[in-house]
Amino acid sequence: MQAAPGDPTTATATRAPSALPSTLFVRPPTVAGALRALEELLMRRGQRTARRNAWTAVLEDRRRARDRREAQHLLEAAAAPGPQAT
């Protein structure tokens, strides 16, 4: 009697041996790993907005620092004795 082509009993007899060692251990997924993957999936779109907001904040901080330096120079010039150069 000949087995059908889709018969699982013949598939195991003709299958080539696996290239992977039989001692390979795969860890089961953890809750933390699943949550990390879910967060990554959900936050992917928001990362572009977050980066844009962060860059805007950096530019705003630089502008404030420049304004502070200018104000400091003006205060020092006003407090210095001698002729006032305006």
Side-chain angles (χ1 to χ4, degrees):
M1 178 175 168
Q2 191 160 6
D7 187 12
T9 57
T10 59
T12 55
T14 59
R15 185 181 305 156
S18 175
L20 295 175
S22 61
T23 59
L24 181 66
F25 176 73
V26 178
R27 288 187 188 155
T30 62
V31 173
L35 288 174
R36 228 177 280 118
L38 181 62
E39 179 185 23
E40 191 174 314
L41 178 68
L42 293 174
M43 296 300 288
R44 191 174 295 157
R45 199 178 323 153
Q47 285 180 354
R48 185 180 306 137
T49 303
R51 286 188 186 118
R52 192 178 319 125
N53 290 345
W55 182 244
T56 302
V58 166
L59 295 177
E60 185 65 22
D61 286 346
R62 288 178 181 175
R63 186 192 62 77
R64 278 194 225 111
R66 185 177 58 244
D67 290 347
R68 278 194 306 271
R69 282 192 305 272
E70 290 175 4
Q72 183 67 32
H73 289 305
L74 288 173
L75 289 172
E76 288 172 357
Q84 299 288 323
T86 55

